[in-house]
Amino acid sequence: MDGWSQIQQVTLPSVHGQLTPAITVHAFDDQQDLLWVGDESGRITSLAGVDLRRYTSYRGHPPNDGPVKQLLFHDRGVISVGPKSVHLSGRTGLAQWHIAEKDMTDLRCMSFIGKGSEHLLVAGCQNVIFKIDVSKGRVLVRIPTTEEYTAVKTVGGYLCAASSRGTIDLLDLAMLQVNATLNTGAASINDMDGSDKYLVTCCWVNHAQGTPKLNIVANVYDVSRKAQLSPIAAQSGAAFVQLHPRMSTTCIICSQHGSLQTVDLTNPAVSLSQNHTPIQSHVTGLVLAPSGEAMALVDNGQYIQLMAPSLQVRFAKHTCPPVEWASSYQAADPVDVDADIPLNWIGMPYYRDRLLSAWSSDAIYEVGGPTAPIDPEVEEKAQPHGVGMWAPNPKKVRRNQRARPMTTNSTEKAAIAAPKFLSDQAKDAESGRNEYLKTLEDALKETVLQSATSSEVPTIYRNVEIKYSRFGVEDFDFRFYNSTIYSGLETHIANSYNNPLLQLLRFTPLVRNFALHHAAADCRQDICLLCELGFLIDTLEKADGYSCQANNLLRAFSSMDDAKAKRVLEEYSHGNSLSEMLQTSCGLFLEHITQEFKAIQGHGDNFENALALDVSTNQRCVNCNSKHDTHSKETHSVLHYQNPNQNPRYRQLPTFSQILKNSVQPSFTQSRGFCPTCRRYNQVIVKQRTIRGVPDVLVLNAAPKSKEAIQYWSKPGWLPERIGITLDGGKFTCFEGEDLRLHLQKGAYKLKVYDLVGVAADITSKQNQKSHLVSLINVAISQTRPTAESDWHLFNDFLVKQIPTEEALRFFQSWKMPSVLVFQAATSRHGVSDSWREDLDASLLYDNIPSNPRVPDLCETLDPSLEASFAGSYVAIDTEFVTLRKPEIDMKSDGERETIRPAVDGVGRVSVVRAEGDKEGMTFIDDYIRISEPIVDYQTRFSGLEPGDLEPTSTPYILKPLKIVYKKIWLLSNLGCIFIGHGLTKDFRAINIHVPPAQVIDTSKLFYTKERRQYLGLAYLAGELLGENVQEGNHDSIEDARTALHLWRKYEELRKAGRLASALEMVYDKKKVEAFRSAKRARDDAAGLLGARGGEGGGLEGRLTPDIMGRSGPGTPLRRPHGSEYFESPLR
């Protein structure tokens, strides 16, 4: 706080000649340079800029409700809470909604449930907490509580709630239940603030005489560990606390007399600075601006003191547009017009904004039409009834339908017709109707496309959405959108905005090789992004064009603490730009995989050198002239753009190479920071960088936000496909185009040439769609066959299409801008290696830790001396699932149900059985999986898993991480094992692994005929062919795996004897099928399970859709049968 001073002092103006009201709360806006103030009469006022000029003032709460207690900020405006109501108004004062319930009696505080959440928790000194949907302005849930809360703050994944008794309850954000309680030893809490994982409180304690006084220490807590840290001593009393928004461990303590103390939480015994404000009376409030550049204090004289280091400060967290003031109207001078005055003498106004008549078609869409007139036949037959009239339906149109008089605009014509579901295609194929569009190319031929101009988004770049039938996501025709050999990634999982980054890493040979080698090594970390990346790359390469999902990798990414702290998870994004989130996510991802490779391989410097820029920075303090050097490895660089009009060196627009050179190694930079010699913050530090080494993989964050940056990228051909870099005495130089060709001819410099692997681009659609990210990748670089030609492909999630080079490298100001660029050294072009297959470490398969200690002999571990060869060996497998999220079902106006979001299953148990040898039928893998997400349904009847079996605190089993269990299956697949099971397509999809068809024997498909269009269940086949009664009670994965093995043996016996056709006729006998269905229905009725969700083995109705003629690979997988389809509610 050294160098800070008072730059402004104001008081609230009186309203209607009344006395100045008492200020009860004040807060800085995080999106505008505004300071908001709430008073005792319920009025809310905003003050703009460092002048604190009055901007807006409105009444948020009735005067008799009491004072304004707290202010929060949202994209839509300002949320305020009073004792009896909650209010949202826009920043210009227009009311959005107002909530006042009967059980709102003494509200005190509120907090969002995580950053980016639309849900708000409001609490107070009452027995109810309210959960409010900000977007809809209504109360969602009332949560009863026994505590009275005076302040709440979301910190480290918990809602920290200060009670009136002086304790702090840590509430779990998912269940909103008290997880732990922190005892402060105080009578009550006056103020508290938190950031990342730290929470700091200022408390009232009881004096010896019984009167309360402010404690002379501020308590500090680590919320993640639920532990108290060393307190902060404040001799004048700790009244208010604020954590610095940009330095998460720095906090400011203020006393009632205006003494300010700055402390680092990691070393609270030493004060960084101590200041005293010029306030003559008691301080009643302190807030710090989101930018960290200003601070506002309020005293009991109702004066607002603004403090800052200079007059050039901003309040908002990021650079924001200036506050929009009401424009003043200036009347135009009158002009007399007669027949003698030419019309060109009459001036026309100058328009700064584009006229409505000049808007492109993509910015115009229908908003509805006038109400259709009543049909004359209805009017003629209408009869009075009550307050209205009724008439018979003439049945000219369907119920709740009317003719649409408006013509379809070009935007709708340009959309891609969605493909039919696989189940519908199978029915059409059987009946001889093949009129549906089979590929994206067919759809584009029939689509009315407009040229890819600078304002309109081409069809293939727009958002692609998954449609869900009653068979789930497996029934969606992903192959319609991709006819290439390169697989896309699906979007129905959280944080799938990272798909373009994952595709870029996949097609970067060096990263690909390192990831697969690491996955093949003996890495047993519970969470390892590099292992998950290797698994995903292997799956994508084996899928041969069929869509995949990065579910396991993104779940691991979501569990990282720094991902939550840096707000790169969708649940915490709070409307942040996807492009900015991807750039931050890219840096986190590269840092993590570098450390993970180093931790296991032991020689991770090779990987770090391949990814990181080696930088030495000389720092000089202007105050004491001391110098010191720092050394760092940077896994990615950020491009910085200069204004060419302000730099005399640029006679024309700078090239990409010039921008890259100035970004990686600027001449010098100047900023304020900490000087170890002066031992003071806020010193002017001059930095100069020296580049000691360049990596083989160069990752760049484009970050084109300024007008200059957009001007560069909008120039055709500005991004080169190849660049050259030289290092001469630490000086970084970059070349491209003709300069690069000449330097290569001369050979005067040691030039390192880089190829552009690809670009992750931000697509800003204007057709009523949200922005999304795509990747444009030159797949020729990762091909094993050497070629100098480029082969660019667009990866729009699961839409993959080959595009020309010019289109890939062309950017448009209005809809396509780059986010992340990846270059790789040309010497590593076509450097794809499969040597990792020879280095597979199978030691994990011989792990002898049983999952079921109660029955240790149930599973016999593999013997490394006798069972070391896996190629061509047979194993039987079965998996059991639990439900993590129920489906969201919407009821249409015509009565049809539409799946908005399908159910999400998690793997709960995996069992693998030997299928040959002396120990045939003996289990060697039987793992129960630890699941971090809440389980909403164990499906005990069909999974055999009881509630609590997968809970670490109550399970009788030894739970194992999903990654460890997954790797066992992945090792068996890559070692050449052949899997036997019933309905394996969905099992492998849920596990998120792709096993080549040659290594899969699915007994549901062995006993299947296309004419019947019906897959038979495991229990039915076992009863008819084997004479065995299985799945009588709860399912058991070991029993199901062994039964599948026996069915395969029976199939081979029937096939060799020539009796397979007659056996199929027998098992498809209609009377037997109906008898089995009736018996099964009776058992379910007796167990009270009619309508419960089923598993794959119990019934007959597996997938009702056969494979489509002419298609190979996975179609609609075997569907788990249902007694009747399960819906929690027909309405969302």
Side-chain angles (χ1 to χ4, degrees):
M1 305 303 295
D2 292 338
W4 286 47
S5 61
Q6 177 182 314
I7 61 173
Q8 187 60 271
Q9 174 179 298
V10 298
T11 184
L12 288 182
S14 60
V15 180
H16 305 303
Q18 300 176 0
L19 295 176
T20 301
I23 297 174
T24 56
V25 64
H26 65 300
F28 284 101
D29 201 320
D30 59 357
Q31 299 184 25
Q32 287 282 335
D33 287 338
L34 297 172
L35 173 64
W36 293 85
V37 179
D39 61 33
E40 61 183 355
S41 67
R43 180 171 290 275
I44 300 162
T45 304
S46 62
L47 307 172
V50 295
D51 296 332
L52 298 184
R53 177 183 171 189
R54 182 177 176 182
Y55 181 55
T56 54
S57 182
Y58 61 90
R59 184 172 297 284
H61 307 272
N64 55 356
D65 276 7
V68 181
K69 293 292 186 179
Q70 188 179 347
L71 299 171
L72 284 181
F73 303 99
H74 187 265
D75 293 340
R76 297 180 59 187
V78 182
I79 306 172
S80 59
V81 63
K84 299 181 180 180
S85 58
V86 186
H87 184 85
L88 170 65
S89 282
R91 287 173 172 79
T92 56
L94 295 177
Q96 305 289 324
W97 49 254
H98 185 87
I99 301 174
E101 303 284 343
K102 292 182 179 179
D103 42 2
M104 291 181 176
T105 56
D106 192 5
L107 300 179
R108 299 287 186 91
C109 50
M110 57 184 170
S111 176
F112 286 106
I113 306 180
K115 190 171 179 62
S117 174
E118 292 291 325
H119 293 165
L120 182 74
L121 288 178
V122 185
C125 293
Q126 54 182 48
N127 58 1
V128 180
I129 298 177
F130 298 90
K131 184 178 180 180
I132 295 177
D133 188 330
V134 178
S135 60
K136 297 180 180 179
R138 63 186 179 90
V139 176
L140 297 177
V141 182
R142 288 172 168 81
I143 306 156
T145 177
T146 57
E147 289 287 351
E148 296 180 347
Y149 295 120
T150 58
V152 291
K153 189 80 175 179
T154 302
V155 180
Y158 293 99
L159 183 73
C160 302
S163 72
S164 58
R165 298 185 297 108
T167 60
I168 299 176
D169 290 341
L170 304 184
L171 280 71
D172 180 76
L173 289 177
M175 306 300 295
L176 294 178
Q177 296 179 351
V178 177
N179 187 282
T181 299
L182 303 177
N183 188 4
T184 62
S188 62
I189 295 175
N190 188 60
D191 191 19
M192 74 175 185
D193 195 16
S195 175
D196 293 338
K197 64 178 182 178
Y198 295 109
L199 181 73
V200 186
T201 62
C202 298
C203 307
W204 291 93
V205 294
N206 289 325
H207 195 266
Q209 288 75 21
T211 58
K213 71 170 185 176
L214 285 170
N215 200 354
I216 60 173
V217 296
N219 295 325
V220 183
Y221 302 91
D222 186 336
V223 176
S224 61
R225 295 192 292 116
K226 305 181 182 66
Q228 184 171 1
L229 305 180
S230 299
I232 302 170
Q235 296 299 327
S236 301
F240 305 99
V241 61
Q242 287 283 286
L243 269 73
H244 199 285
R246 294 192 174 181
M247 295 179 283
S248 58
T249 61
T250 301
C251 79
I252 301 170
I253 306 292
C254 181
S255 70
Q256 280 189 320
H257 305 291
S259 296
L260 296 175
Q261 182 178 347
T262 307
V263 181
D264 192 328
L265 298 180
T266 59
N267 187 16
V270 179
S271 296
L272 301 179
S273 66
Q274 291 187 351
N275 305 83
H276 192 83
T277 62
I279 295 178
Q280 301 299 324
S281 55
H282 287 294
V283 176
T284 60
L286 164 74
V287 290
L288 196 62
S291 64
E293 299 178 6
M295 179 173 57
L297 298 93
V298 175
D299 59 21
N300 59 0
Q302 309 313 315
Y303 283 98
I304 304 170
Q305 315 277 352
L306 182 65
M307 299 185 64
S310 68
L311 294 175
Q312 304 299 323
V313 297
R314 57 182 171 86
F315 300 161
K317 187 174 184 179
H318 303 290
T319 303
C320 61
V323 174
E324 182 182 0
W325 297 89
S327 57
S328 57
Y329 174 74
Q330 183 176 2
D333 297 332
V335 178
D336 294 331
V337 180
D338 54 32
D340 298 330
I341 296 179
L343 290 179
N344 60 359
W345 282 22
I346 303 175
M348 295 294 290
Y350 175 73
Y351 297 98
R352 296 183 179 274
D353 299 325
R354 181 183 295 184
L355 296 179
L356 183 62
S357 58
W359 282 12
S360 59
S361 60
D362 64 323
I364 303 172
Y365 55 92
E366 296 180 4
V367 294
T371 304
I374 300 177
D375 189 280
E377 184 177 346
V378 174
E379 287 186 335
E380 182 180 352
K381 297 181 180 181
Q383 300 179 14
H385 180 75
V387 295
M389 304 181 73
W390 74 274
N393 186 355
K395 298 183 179 180
K396 295 181 180 179
V397 295
R398 289 187 178 183
R399 184 183 179 91
N400 295 327
Q401 290 185 346
R402 68 175 180 85
R404 190 175 187 178
M406 293 179 287
T407 59
T408 305
N409 58 26
S410 60
T411 298
E412 291 178 340
K413 291 181 180 179
I416 301 176
K420 283 192 174 183
F421 291 115
L422 294 176
S423 54
D424 296 333
Q425 294 180 27
K427 295 177 184 177
D428 291 347
E430 183 179 343
S431 60
R433 298 193 306 269
N434 294 307
E435 301 174 357
Y436 56 87
L437 300 174
K438 297 182 179 180
T439 65
L440 179 66
E441 283 70 19
D442 295 336
L444 293 178
K445 289 177 183 177
E446 299 190 5
T447 302
V448 181
L449 289 178
Q450 299 177 357
S451 61
T453 64
S454 60
S455 60
E456 299 185 358
V457 184
T459 307
I460 58 175
Y461 285 86
R462 297 177 188 171
N463 265 319
V464 286
E465 296 182 355
I466 301 175
K467 303 296 183 182
Y468 306 102
S469 73
R470 64 191 183 96
F471 294 105
V473 68
E474 295 88 355
D475 199 23
F476 186 73
D477 187 5
F478 289 103
R479 200 60 174 152
F480 170 86
Y481 294 92
N482 182 9
S483 57
T484 72
I485 62 173
Y486 306 107
S487 298
L489 290 170
E490 298 172 15
T491 59
H492 62 288
I493 48 184
N495 301 305
S496 59
Y497 75 90
N498 285 291
N499 286 348
L501 174 62
L502 300 179
Q503 293 283 16
L504 282 174
L505 297 177
R506 169 204 174 187
F507 286 102
T508 305
L510 285 174
V511 177
R512 179 252 184 208
N513 294 342
F514 277 118
L516 287 170
H517 274 286
H518 181 83
D522 188 23
C523 174
R524 302 201 182 188
Q525 297 182 43
D526 292 359
I527 298 175
C528 177
L529 290 183
L530 191 54
C531 275
E532 298 292 356
L533 180 61
F535 298 151
L536 178 63
I537 291 174
D538 184 45
T539 299
L540 288 168
E541 292 181 349
K542 289 177 179 176
D544 195 28
Y546 287 92
S547 67
C548 302
Q549 51 184 344
N551 201 4
N552 294 348
L553 187 147
L554 293 178
R555 281 182 179 175
F557 176 76
S558 302
S559 64
M560 293 164 35
D561 291 335
D562 45 359
K564 299 175 183 177
K566 295 196 175 183
R567 311 298 185 186
V568 294
L569 303 182
E570 291 177 349
E571 58 182 314
Y572 299 111
S573 62
H574 197 56
N576 292 344
S577 164
L578 286 181
S579 180
E580 295 178 2
M581 290 174 61
L582 184 72
Q583 291 167 7
T584 307
S585 173
C586 176
L588 285 177
F589 203 93
L590 295 176
E591 291 172 6
H592 271 268
I593 63 177
T594 302
Q595 296 302 320
E596 289 163 352
F597 189 89
K598 184 183 298 185
I600 301 300
Q601 265 66 14
H603 48 80
D605 290 341
N606 296 335
F607 189 37
E608 188 174 32
N609 293 335
L611 282 180
L613 196 70
D614 194 355
V615 181
S616 176
T617 305
N618 177 265
Q619 302 186 31
R620 181 177 62 87
C621 175
V622 175
N623 183 44
C624 65
N625 210 31
S626 61
K627 298 181 180 179
H628 64 280
D629 294 332
T630 59
H631 177 249
S632 62
K633 294 289 187 72
E634 299 177 358
T635 55
H636 63 287
S637 302
V638 180
L639 296 182
H640 300 283
Y641 306 90
Q642 295 83 25
N643 188 341
N645 300 324
Q646 297 177 356
N647 196 329
R649 294 185 300 166
Y650 299 138
R651 297 182 179 179
Q652 56 184 3
L653 199 67
T655 64
F656 175 84
S657 298
Q658 291 172 318
I659 295 297
L660 177 59
K661 189 267 178 192
N662 293 330
S663 301
V664 173
Q665 191 176 32
S667 56
F668 68 89
T669 57
Q670 181 174 307
S671 61
R672 290 186 177 271
F674 179 75
C675 174
T677 304
C678 299
R679 300 188 62 81
R680 295 169 68 93
Y681 280 93
N682 210 30
Q683 299 300 305
V684 178
I685 307 295
V686 177
K687 300 179 182 180
Q688 189 167 10
R689 290 161 56 98
T690 301
I691 309 301
R692 301 170 53 179
V694 291
D696 291 333
V697 178
L698 195 62
V699 181
L700 305 174
N701 285 352
K705 298 179 182 178
S706 63
K707 294 181 179 179
E708 294 78 16
I710 295 175
Q711 179 185 0
Y712 296 146
W713 287 104
S714 300
K715 180 182 177 182
W718 190 73
L719 176 62
E721 212 173 349
R722 173 168 283 198
I723 60 174
I725 294 175
T726 63
L727 275 183
D728 185 10
K731 183 179 181 182
F732 180 95
T733 311
C734 187
F735 305 96
E736 67 176 76
E738 187 65 19
D739 289 342
L740 175 60
R741 188 184 64 81
L742 293 175
H743 280 85
L744 288 174
Q745 286 181 350
K746 295 178 181 178
Y749 297 100
K750 187 177 180 181
L751 198 64
K752 192 169 187 177
V753 180
Y754 288 82
D755 291 323
L756 177 63
V757 176
V759 183
D762 185 9
I763 305 299
T764 307
S765 299
K766 294 184 179 179
Q767 290 82 9
N768 306 323
Q769 298 182 358
K770 60 181 181 181
S771 298
H772 65 288
L773 301 170
V774 303
S775 53
L776 307 140
I777 301 175
N778 184 6
V779 298
I781 293 176
S782 59
Q783 292 176 356
T784 55
R785 178 177 55 85
T787 176
E789 300 295 328
S790 298
D791 186 11
W792 286 88
H793 280 66
L794 164 68
F795 290 82
N796 184 2
D797 292 321
F798 51 82
L799 186 155
V800 183
K801 192 176 186 303
Q802 189 178 28
I803 58 174
T805 302
E806 295 77 15
E807 179 181 334
L809 303 181
R810 180 77 166 94
F811 299 92
F812 299 96
Q813 176 178 349
S814 60
W815 64 271
K816 179 185 177 187
M817 278 287 126
S819 179
V820 176
L821 312 176
V822 177
F823 286 88
Q824 182 185 254
T827 53
S828 300
R829 188 183 179 102
H830 313 300
V832 174
S833 171
D834 286 334
S835 61
W836 61 273
R837 298 184 185 277
E838 303 171 3
D839 302 329
L840 281 171
D841 189 327
S843 60
L844 185 64
L845 295 174
Y846 303 101
D847 186 359
N848 60 359
I849 300 177
S851 289
N852 192 348
R854 295 181 300 183
V855 191
D857 298 334
L858 187 65
C859 181
E860 182 176 339
T861 309
L862 294 174
D863 187 344
S865 60
L866 301 176
E867 298 172 295
S869 177
F870 295 93
S873 61
Y874 294 88
V875 296
I877 185 173
D878 188 69
T879 59
E880 303 297 350
F881 301 94
V882 295
T883 302
L884 304 180
R885 187 183 67 201
K886 293 183 179 180
E888 293 184 17
I889 308 297
D890 192 13
M891 183 72 74
K892 295 183 178 180
S893 59
D894 58 1
E896 292 186 4
R897 290 168 171 167
E898 179 184 13
T899 302
I900 304 300
R901 183 178 294 178
V904 175
D905 289 340
V907 185
R909 183 186 181 189
V910 175
S911 300
V912 186
V913 175
R914 297 173 177 87
E916 57 186 357
D918 297 338
K919 298 181 179 180
E920 178 177 328
M922 191 64 192
T923 308
F924 67 93
I925 294 177
D926 185 30
D927 289 337
Y928 293 80
I929 297 169
R930 182 172 68 244
I931 299 178
S932 57
E933 294 110 320
I935 299 173
V936 299
D937 187 0
Y938 273 86
Q939 303 185 44
T940 302
R941 172 70 174 85
F942 305 98
S943 69
L945 298 171
E946 299 285 346
D949 280 355
L950 304 182
E951 299 289 341
T953 57
S954 59
T955 180
Y957 308 107
I958 298 176
L959 302 182
K960 298 183 180 179
L962 174 62
K963 180 232 167 179
I964 299 299
V965 181
Y966 178 95
K967 188 168 184 177
K968 293 181 181 180
I969 309 302
W970 184 78
L971 285 171
L972 291 174
S973 173
N974 282 285
L975 289 170
C977 286
I978 299 174
F979 294 91
I980 303 167
H982 195 84
L984 288 182
T985 308
K986 180 169 183 178
D987 285 1
F988 286 149
R989 177 181 174 84
I991 297 173
N992 204 12
I993 191 172
H994 186 94
V995 180
Q999 293 177 236
V1000 178
I1001 298 176
D1002 193 337
T1003 54
S1004 68
K1005 296 181 180 180
L1006 296 180
F1007 299 98
Y1008 167 75
T1009 58
K1010 293 183 178 180
E1011 295 78 13
R1012 301 299 184 114
R1013 289 185 55 247
Q1014 186 179 52
Y1015 285 97
L1016 300 175
L1018 183 68
Y1020 176 74
L1021 289 173
E1024 294 297 323
L1025 296 175
L1026 306 176
E1028 299 178 3
N1029 294 324
V1030 299
Q1031 300 176 348
E1032 290 293 330
N1034 294 343
H1035 287 208
D1036 181 83
S1037 55
I1038 296 179
E1039 180 190 43
D1040 291 351
R1042 289 171 178 166
T1043 305
L1045 170 59
H1046 298 159
L1047 283 176
W1048 173 59
R1049 295 293 188 194
K1050 187 67 175 180
Y1051 172 85
E1052 291 296 321
E1053 174 189 330
L1054 294 172
R1055 183 181 61 82
K1056 292 177 181 178
R1059 296 186 291 113
L1060 182 60
S1062 59
L1064 287 175
E1065 287 296 326
M1066 183 269 294
V1067 297
Y1068 273 105
D1069 182 80
K1070 185 174 181 180
K1071 293 182 179 179
K1072 292 185 177 181
V1073 171
E1074 290 298 332
F1076 185 88
R1077 282 178 173 169
S1078 299
K1080 178 179 180 296
R1081 190 177 297 111
R1083 290 196 304 268
D1084 289 347
D1085 285 340
L1089 292 171
L1090 185 61
R1093 188 171 179 179
E1096 72 271 23
L1100 292 161
E1101 42 299 23
R1103 186 186 67 186
L1104 298 180
T1105 56
D1107 293 330
I1108 299 176
M1109 302 291 289
R1111 287 186 184 246
S1112 61
T1116 307
L1118 182 71
R1119 177 165 175 78
R1120 295 175 176 266
H1122 295 245
S1124 64
E1125 189 141 8
Y1126 177 85
F1127 298 101
E1128 182 184 18
S1129 170
L1131 300 177
R1132 237 187 332 173

